[in-house]
Amino acid sequence: MRYYRYKNAEVSCCYKYLMFSYNIVFWLVGAAFLGIGFWAWSEKGVLSDLSQVTRQNGFDPVWVVLVVGTVTFVLGFAGCVGALRENICMLKFFCGVIGVIFFLELTAGVLAFVFQDTLREWISDFFLTNVKGYRDDIDLQNLIDSLQRTQTVVNTQCGYDIRARPEREWNTVIHVKGCIPALEGWLPRNLYIVAGVFIIISLLQMLGIFLARTLIGDIEMVNSGFRY
């Protein structure tokens, strides 16, 4: 393979702005997630009293939104700045973190498939622990309700006076199916949707790695003064 030296060589604008466009979307999504998370905390009064974070009885779904938003925001920022400034360090950071996330997702999927019984037991313990805080956190309440919801709920007082009715009428007033059975029933019905989401996420991650590695190689080639 022969190399040619160019005095005024430039990085390919195609890969540079593709990388920027790819990451600006994720940066905006990350900012939106952070905004939603802090808004949810503001509505619950957490921002005015941060000690509530340590006093919560159960899992707060807002944490998931904030963590995903933070990671997405930081990666999008690193990718945008790395592409525009042709900063190899930031591009390698972006590429490395995406690679680690992809590996963790793949590992989690394999472990979940191999240890299905253990995972089912862990999820059951998780819900049994957090259902104690059902009335303390509106977001946790909505999460549990969304897993159970198969009909319109008439009784919003957690089954008050439900035993006074015939058992055949219970499912018209309250959720009679627990979180774990509901989740186990939901997954098979939506298996293709879940698989499609994971495939799309994986393809986007691989696209990001490809763009970052290609741009890094192009920058290094230009810095050395050579082109193919």
Side-chain angles (χ1 to χ4, degrees):
M1 183 178 295
R2 302 180 63 183
Y3 295 91
Y4 301 91
R5 182 182 293 274
Y6 287 87
K7 292 182 179 180
N8 298 318
E10 295 182 355
V11 174
S12 171
C13 290
C14 178
Y15 286 118
K16 181 176 180 177
Y17 289 107
L18 273 176
M19 182 68 179
F20 174 78
S21 301
Y22 173 90
N23 282 280
I24 194 66
V25 174
F26 284 92
W27 182 77
L28 292 174
V29 169
F33 268 68
L34 288 174
I36 293 171
F38 285 119
W39 172 79
W41 266 3
S42 176
E43 289 293 304
K44 294 190 292 186
V46 175
L47 294 182
S48 59
D49 182 12
L50 294 178
S51 62
Q52 292 186 34
V53 175
T54 59
R55 297 202 307 266
Q56 292 174 344
N57 296 324
F59 171 74
D60 187 355
V62 175
W63 277 112
V64 176
V65 177
L66 290 176
V67 170
V68 172
T70 300
V71 173
T72 307
F73 183 88
V74 171
L75 285 176
F77 177 80
C80 287
V81 175
L84 288 180
R85 303 296 299 175
E86 299 176 9
N87 189 305
I88 293 178
C89 290
M90 298 197 79
L91 290 173
K92 286 184 175 180
F93 168 78
F94 169 85
C95 192
V97 175
I98 289 289
V100 170
I101 294 174
F102 180 78
F103 175 77
L104 291 176
E105 291 172 349
L106 186 62
T107 303
V110 172
L111 291 177
F113 179 77
V114 174
F115 301 102
Q116 295 184 33
D117 293 336
T118 303
L119 177 63
R120 187 179 296 108
E121 182 179 348
W122 180 85
I123 294 176
S124 178
D125 292 339
F126 173 82
F127 276 109
L128 288 176
T129 300
N130 286 278
V131 77
K132 298 176 183 178
Y134 176 81
R135 286 297 183 189
D136 299 330
D137 191 323
I138 186 63
D139 294 317
L140 179 62
Q141 179 179 335
N142 290 333
L143 175 63
I144 293 175
D145 285 348
S146 65
L147 290 174
Q148 294 178 309
R149 187 173 290 118
T150 56
Q151 72 280 324
T152 302
V153 179
V154 179
N155 192 325
T156 59
Q157 300 183 16
C158 202
Y160 176 76
D161 205 28
I162 186 62
R163 292 186 180 274
R165 297 171 176 244
E167 185 174 348
R168 64 179 179 273
E169 297 180 5
W170 288 4
N171 64 347
T172 63
V173 181
I174 63 172
H175 301 302
V176 296
K177 183 183 293 185
C179 297
I180 304 304
L183 182 61
E184 290 177 347
W186 181 88
L187 283 175
R189 293 195 306 270
N190 299 273
L191 182 61
Y192 291 109
I193 296 177
V194 174
V197 170
F198 275 103
I199 290 174
I200 292 173
I201 292 175
S202 299
L203 290 175
L204 288 174
Q205 290 172 335
M206 287 188 287
L207 175 62
I209 294 174
F210 168 77
L211 290 174
R213 292 306 307 174
T214 302
L215 188 56
I216 289 172
D218 205 21
I219 295 172
E220 290 176 340
M221 189 65 66
V222 169
N223 290 342
S224 67
F226 288 97
R227 281 284 190 146
Y228 292 113

